[in-house]
Amino acid sequence: MTESSSLRKKRRMPALMFFALAACVCLLVFLARKVGAQEPAARGKSDRLTLRMAAHVLPPASASPADGGEASPAAYEEPLEYAKVGPEGGVPVHREGPFKSPFAHPKFGGPAVVKVGMLLTNVRNYDIQKGTFDADFFLTFTSDKAMPPMEPIFTNGKVDHKEVMADKPTFKMYRFLGNFSSPLDLHDYPFDTQELAIEIEDDDNGTDQIKLVADDHHTNLDVGFHVPGWNVAYTEARVLNHYFPDRFEHDDMYYSRYIFKLGIARFGTSAVFTVFVPAIVIVLISLSGLWYPRDELEVRANATTPMLAAAVLFHFALMQSLPATAYLTRADKLMMAVYAILALHMLITWLWFVFDEKHTLRIMRVGKWVGAPLTLAVLLAGMFL
Amino acid sequence: MTSKPTRWSSMFPMTLASALALLTSCKKEARWFDAQVELTRVDVVRRDDKGRPMTKDVEFSYFTCPGHQLEVIRGGTEFAECMDRYKVGDKVPVKIESHWLKEGHWDWDVQALGVCKRPPEEGDEASFDTVQECSDMTVYGAKVGFHCKRIPEKHLLQKCPWFGR
């Protein structure tokens, strides 16, 4: 009897455990949903969390954005909702404001002047081949009146991480980590300066609702900011009013775009030692061959011909680290000069085989005293033109 | 016709090697400068158990230099106590040491602020400077933004040479 009851108990245990497990899962899901509902982005410092929660929870003080009150998503009237469709159908338009676009907001009561601040804390993985880089930065919007709901988008990159640190009607603060790309300018390589741009535009608020202004007092680089291998040359921020080519009828809205640029210059010393010194050494070794007489023809030839191979390999290695360009970089021009100099030195040697042997001494003398200054002139031209 | 290689051909490698050796062995002596700054912020960063300041941050601007040159220095207990005699807005003299770094460029340290000595310590990552000259960007007469040069230009270096890196 005891044995059979213990067997029944054993058989009942899995069923009990199953119910207990199901209850635990339900409880966990319930708790997770509750926590998720209260803390949509529960990360970071406690003060940030408080600020963020306050932005989510506090009720709007005033419904109208035009009078400087709150423009919470609930109070904000979507301009597309009250745009009117004409008798022939098609794109709904606004008839009362300066813009007919369905995204215009004539009821907003004039644009909010939004000062854009930027603190760039880090730039990593700058790829000179693709012009891409990873950036970590804080972005602030401070306005004189309530802003419409803002959703900043990046027109030259994508964001991997976004943290809303403050979302008040007249002050918004975000932290972004993302990957961006900028066009390259390699005309002056290896003394080039590259521009790393971050372009920001609001998703659908035109210039009738927000007018972005670059805030020079609150645009900075973080303490200890540096880009490995590069020198920070300048920072720049500007705003342009962007007009899209017509995407639909009455697409007449302008959009404010904020562009932050970080100028980085290659270290001059590094450029000289990695590009100019090897090229000059190649030229000097080849030039030394001009002082060898005809008896030492083999030595003289060895001073020039292997240098041509060295120059080609060196140039190839230089170009491998850069993308293809439609123009010559300064390094290309230098290497063109090196090729011309090597050709000149070979030509001077070949003159011995073109003219009679009795001119040997004269060719050598002319080769030295004409070849050396010409070499210097061509090299200088390659370096500075 | 036979002749030997001239002196020139053998001198090239030697000249080159000597020039490179000379270039790399150059030793650059530290330079000292005096300047005037205006205090813009003084903050106690850390205090001991008795509430006395242990570290203090002092922000100042080089108001005699062109552009917007700002520096923040952090100092220890003695510096913190000594700095009590100054307040924000005071104009005080500074003693600057400009020295050559092994990384291959010049850098400077503020060694004294007014009468307060401030020997910089290794590992101080809180002190920093912002050396820049900003100007407005205009397009068709309208201001659209600003541009701040971060590499000191000649006129700045003539007036405040320690900013040269």
Side-chain angles (χ1 to χ4, degrees):
Chain A
M1 179 67 185
T2 325
E3 240 177 66
S4 68
S5 72
S6 72
L7 268 172
R8 266 203 304 277
K9 267 185 189 169
K10 272 182 189 170
R11 271 192 223 108
R12 271 203 299 270
M13 276 302 282
L16 275 173
M17 281 172 72
F18 173 76
F19 281 120
L21 188 67
C24 283
V25 169
C26 287
L27 188 66
L28 278 173
V29 169
F30 174 74
L31 282 173
R33 290 180 71 177
K34 287 290 274 184
V35 170
Q38 285 172 356
E39 297 176 323
R43 284 185 299 274
K45 292 176 184 172
S46 58
D47 54 339
R48 286 179 190 171
L49 175 66
T50 313
L51 193 56
R52 229 178 300 136
M53 284 178 70
H56 283 285
V57 171
L58 285 174
S62 164
S64 167
D67 60 9
E70 306 266 345
S72 70
Y76 183 77
E77 188 175 8
E78 278 295 334
L80 204 55
E81 295 300 319
Y82 67 91
K84 291 193 172 62
V85 181
E88 293 172 2
V91 180
V93 294
H94 291 285
R95 301 199 186 281
E96 54 271 39
F99 302 103
K100 285 186 174 174
S101 167
F103 298 106
H105 197 339
K107 291 183 185 173
F108 193 73
V113 178
V114 181
K115 285 185 177 179
V116 186
M118 159 84 87
L119 176 73
L120 186 59
T121 57
N122 225 324
V123 166
R124 288 182 295 268
N125 304 328
Y126 181 51
D127 185 347
I128 192 79
Q129 286 267 6
K130 298 174 187 164
T132 56
F133 61 95
D134 294 335
D136 179 355
F137 58 93
F138 294 91
L139 184 72
T140 57
F141 294 142
T142 312
S143 63
D144 55 345
K145 59 181 265 190
M147 288 175 257
M150 302 276 278
E151 192 56 52
I153 57 163
F154 297 90
T155 53
N156 69 327
K158 64 179 174 62
V159 166
D160 299 323
H161 175 76
K162 174 187 175 185
E163 187 179 346
V164 181
M165 298 173 69
D167 189 7
K168 300 300 285 179
T170 57
F171 175 65
K172 297 174 195 301
M173 183 167 179
Y174 309 89
R175 182 170 192 167
F176 292 106
L177 274 90
N179 184 260
F180 304 88
S181 64
S182 289
L184 297 163
D185 181 2
L186 294 164
H187 280 94
D188 284 335
Y189 174 81
F191 297 109
D192 52 326
T193 298
Q194 300 299 333
E195 267 186 353
L196 278 53
I198 297 172
E199 297 183 7
I200 300 159
E201 198 172 276
D202 189 68
D203 204 10
D204 55 11
N205 296 314
T207 50
D208 64 335
Q209 292 181 74
I210 54 164
K211 187 184 166 200
L212 301 181
V213 177
D215 187 351
D216 52 348
H217 295 296
H218 299 105
T219 301
N220 287 306
L221 303 178
D222 198 10
V223 176
F225 178 90
H226 78 288
V227 184
W230 298 82
N231 201 5
V232 174
Y234 61 85
T235 55
E236 186 181 299
R238 64 169 298 183
V239 171
L240 64 89
N241 285 338
H242 180 221
Y243 186 83
F244 286 103
D246 282 1
R247 298 164 291 179
F248 49 83
E249 210 176 337
H250 303 302
D251 186 12
D252 58 355
M253 180 53 70
Y254 281 84
Y255 294 87
S256 221
R257 181 179 288 184
Y258 171 85
I259 304 169
F260 172 83
K261 285 179 183 172
L262 173 74
I264 51 171
R266 215 179 281 268
F267 288 122
T269 318
S270 162
V272 166
F273 276 92
T274 53
V275 178
F276 277 67
V277 168
I280 291 169
V281 167
I282 287 171
V283 167
L284 286 178
I285 292 172
S286 174
L287 183 66
S288 72
L290 295 186
W291 269 260
Y292 284 97
R294 189 165 181 167
D295 299 351
E296 304 283 348
L297 190 61
E298 199 179 332
V299 179
R300 184 172 172 131
N302 280 341
T304 306
T305 322
M307 287 304 108
L308 180 62
V312 170
L313 286 174
F314 175 61
H315 194 190
F316 181 72
L318 274 183
M319 294 303 103
Q320 282 293 93
S321 62
L322 299 175
T325 55
Y327 48 82
L328 291 180
T329 65
R330 188 178 266 204
D332 286 327
K333 288 177 188 168
L334 174 71
M335 291 315 295
M336 293 297 133
V338 171
Y339 295 139
I341 289 165
L342 296 178
L344 174 75
H345 295 170
M346 282 183 199
L347 190 72
I348 291 169
T349 305
W350 290 337
L351 288 179
W352 276 333
F353 305 101
V354 175
F355 294 100
D356 192 87
E357 207 171 325
K358 66 181 178 188
H359 299 299
T360 297
L361 202 58
R362 185 179 295 171
I363 290 169
M364 167 125 184
R365 203 178 300 133
V366 171
K368 275 195 294 189
W369 301 120
V370 174
L374 207 57
T375 295
L376 187 68
V378 174
L379 188 63
L380 289 175
M383 285 163 80
F384 297 108
L385 290 184
Chain B
M1 158 105 203
T2 57
S3 65
K4 288 188 176 174
T6 59
R7 288 178 300 165
W8 279 94
S9 55
S10 56
M11 275 172 66
F12 265 108
M14 281 174 65
T15 313
L16 192 71
S18 314
L20 283 173
L22 199 69
L23 206 68
T24 51
S25 65
C26 284
K27 191 173 186 313
K28 295 181 170 77
E29 296 293 329
R31 300 170 300 176
W32 288 85
F33 300 97
D34 292 307
Q36 283 280 327
V37 298
E38 182 177 348
L39 305 187
T40 51
R41 180 171 64 88
V42 180
D43 284 333
V44 176
V45 182
R46 192 173 292 177
R47 292 179 188 275
D48 63 10
D49 298 339
K50 292 171 185 166
R52 286 177 306 196
M54 285 174 71
T55 48
K56 200 174 243 184
D57 274 359
V58 180
E59 183 187 277
F60 51 84
S61 69
Y62 291 92
F63 66 92
T64 57
C65 302
H68 179 73
Q69 324 307 340
L70 204 74
E71 183 159 358
V72 177
I73 57 170
R74 181 167 287 185
T77 313
E78 281 179 33
F79 175 74
E81 279 175 9
C82 177
M83 279 305 293
D84 282 344
R85 71 188 71 200
Y86 300 113
K87 60 183 188 305
V88 170
D90 284 354
K91 289 178 176 165
V92 290
V94 285
K95 214 157 210 26
I96 299 162
E97 184 207 14
S98 175
H99 51 268
W100 183 254
L101 295 181
K102 63 177 189 296
E103 285 82 8
H105 63 89
W106 290 93
D107 198 7
W108 75 91
D109 281 320
V110 171
Q111 296 283 356
L113 188 60
V115 293
C116 306
K117 288 202 164 32
R118 183 259 177 186
E121 270 191 21
E122 286 276 328
D124 170 17
E125 291 180 356
S127 301
F128 71 98
D129 53 80
T130 305
V131 177
Q132 61 181 16
E133 283 182 90
C134 298
S135 56
D136 288 346
M137 284 178 74
T138 54
V139 177
Y140 298 122
K143 187 190 168 189
V144 294
F146 61 90
H147 179 97
C148 296
K149 289 176 188 161
R150 291 249 172 178
I151 295 177
E153 294 206 331
K154 202 174 173 182
H155 66 280
L156 172 61
L157 295 179
Q158 275 174 348
K159 194 105 196 247
C160 307
W162 59 91
F163 288 135
R165 292 193 196 265

